[in-house]
């Protein structure tokens, strides 16, 4: 599984609400996401709930985390 730089940026912005962050913080976010998602089977799944952050989805494309989005609170599925 791969974590994109964009996904780590969106993770910091949306989960921790950072507006300013360093490259080191982005690399740390990539490592955190990699550890968090390392045991997940993402085969044939596009949206996966992040295990440590259940209010957020990880969006995958070809076994690569491309972005992080919040869950809708009033979604009707």
């Amino acid at each position: 599984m791969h974590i994109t730089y964009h996904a780590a940026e969106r993770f910091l912005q949306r989960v921790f609400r950072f507006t300013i962050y360093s490259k080191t913080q982005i690399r740390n976010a990539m490592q955190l996401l990699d550890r968090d998602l390392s045991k997940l089977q993402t085969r044939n799944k596009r949206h996966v709930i992040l295990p440590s952050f259940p209010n957020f989805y990880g969006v995958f494309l070809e076994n690569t985390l491309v972005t992080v989005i919040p869950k809708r609170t009033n979604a009707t599925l």
Side-chain angles (χ1 to χ4, degrees), residues 1-58:
M1 172 180 317
H2 302 286
I3 311 295
T4 62
Y5 193 86
H6 174 82
E9 281 186 303
R10 294 301 174 257
F11 177 74
L12 290 173
Q13 291 170 355
R14 294 177 177 156
V15 175
F16 294 110
R17 298 184 181 178
F18 286 1
T19 55
I20 299 171
Y21 39 83
S22 66
K23 289 182 182 180
T24 304
Q25 289 172 314
I26 293 173
R27 280 189 236 113
N28 290 341
M30 291 172 80
Q31 289 176 350
L32 179 106
L33 287 167
D34 188 45
R35 278 189 235 131
D36 197 33
L37 299 170
S38 65
K39 295 179 183 172
L40 280 179
Q41 296 294 326
T42 59
R43 204 172 345 151
N44 299 328
K45 293 184 181 177
R46 184 164 164 90
H47 292 84
V48 176
I49 296 174
L50 299 179
S52 297
F53 304 94
N55 292 328
F56 295 89
Y57 286 112

